[in-house]
């Protein structure tokens, strides 16, 4: 079964949400020991791409779907409400300090400041397509968008944007993994490998200069890559290539 989205209740780590693509959203209340399907009578939440738990209200769930746009639940996923965002969206994010502020990402990035009643398109300097967004959890006016031409950053809640691509030899980052203890951020770049940015640096550096990940991904010339850094352990990294090969580095 393909599990493509996972979220954890920020107030209770035993409450976990996992989406099984094509089957819908499931919840566990015992830290993943047992699972129960949510919203089974609503076909709109079968094809979910991303799920987020509102940091201000753990009973409020938001999901990005392929064919039903943005859907919101206010009762922990039992029932779901349609919104006026009906096109395909890849990602949804909520301001950690103000749940009225919602972002949805897809062909463009849109922002609502009134709980989804109205929206405006943000002037992100990225080509349209399958954009995604990350919000700084301690400073929500700082945003990062990726998925088109590298990474763009906004420091004013989306009003203006600037690319951050110096040293980045790739155009499609596919996953971020920060290490809080070292302030180092790792990310995978499609068909390129694993890069990192250290705190205070203005450019990215590549890790796999001898192309070991590209060799592992053979014979595919354009591989997708996800990367995971273990918390508190700067030296151990895992990478998944093409959804098939698991690679590990201890250096």
């Amino acid at each position: 079964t393909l599990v493509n989205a996972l979220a954890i209740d920020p107030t209770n780590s035993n409450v976990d949400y996992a989406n099984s693509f094509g089957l819908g959203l499931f919840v566990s209340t015992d830290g993943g020991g047992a699972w129960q399907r949510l919203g089974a009578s609503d076909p709109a939440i079968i094809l979910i791409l991303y799920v987020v738990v509102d940091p201000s209200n753990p009973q409020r769930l938001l999901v990005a779907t392929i064919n039903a746009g943005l859907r919101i639940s206010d009762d922990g996923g039992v029932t779901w409400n349609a919104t006026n965002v009906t096109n395909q969206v890849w990602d949804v994010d909520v301001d950690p300090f103000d749940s009225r502020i919602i972002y949805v990402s897809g062909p463009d990035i849109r922002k609502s400041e009134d709980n989804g009643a109205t929206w405006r398109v943000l002037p992100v300097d990225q080509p349209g397509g399958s954009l995604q967004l990350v919000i700084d959890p301690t400073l929500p006016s700082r945003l990062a968008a990726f998925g088109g031409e590298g990474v763009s950053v906004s420091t004013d809640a989306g009003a203006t944007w600037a690319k951050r691509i110096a040293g980045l030899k790739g155009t499609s980052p596919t996953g971020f993994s920060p290490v809080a203890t070292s302030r180092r951020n790792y990310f995978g770049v499609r068909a390129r490998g694993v890069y990192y940015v250290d705190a205070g640096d203005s450019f990215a550096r590549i890790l796999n200069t001898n192309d070991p990940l590209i060799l592992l991904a053979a014979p595919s010339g354009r591989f997708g890559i996800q990367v995971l850094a273990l918390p508190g352990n700067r030296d151990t990294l895992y990478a998944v290539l093409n959804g098939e090969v698991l690679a590990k580095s201890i250096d």
Side-chain angles (χ1 to χ4, degrees), residues 16-129:
D16 308 321
Y17 299 91
N19 181 66
S20 178
F21 194 76
L23 295 177
L25 190 63
F26 291 75
V27 63
S28 171
T29 57
D30 59 1
W35 296 85
Q36 177 183 353
R37 188 177 178 187
L38 289 170
S41 61
D42 189 347
I45 63 163
I46 297 299
L47 300 178
I48 292 174
L49 294 173
Y50 195 79
V51 56
V52 65
V53 183
D54 186 341
S56 303
N57 178 8
Q59 285 295 299
R60 185 172 182 247
L61 308 179
L62 301 92
V63 295
T65 74
I66 283 183
N67 56 359
L70 173 66
R71 294 274 169 149
I72 299 176
S73 172
D74 294 309
D75 54 13
V78 178
T79 60
W80 293 86
N81 301 312
T83 69
N84 56 8
V85 177
T86 57
N87 58 305
Q88 182 184 77
V89 289
W90 289 87
D91 188 14
V92 56
D93 296 274
V94 180
D95 187 304
F97 299 143
D98 187 348
S99 60
R100 297 171 300 174
I101 300 177
I102 307 171
Y103 300 88
V104 293
S105 309
D108 52 33
I109 295 181
R110 302 184 182 195
K111 179 180 181 180
S112 173
E113 296 179 294
D114 53 13
N115 202 33
T118 60
W119 299 83
R120 72 176 189 273
V121 177
L122 299 182
V124 183
D125 57 343
Q126 294 279 337

Side-chain angles (χ1 to χ4, degrees), residues 209-234:
T209 54
N210 61 347
D211 292 333
L213 294 180
I214 294 176
L215 294 176
L216 284 171
S220 173
R222 289 191 58 80
F223 62 92
I225 181 168
Q226 298 286 338
V227 61
L228 174 66
L230 295 186
N233 189 337
R234 181 174 177 143

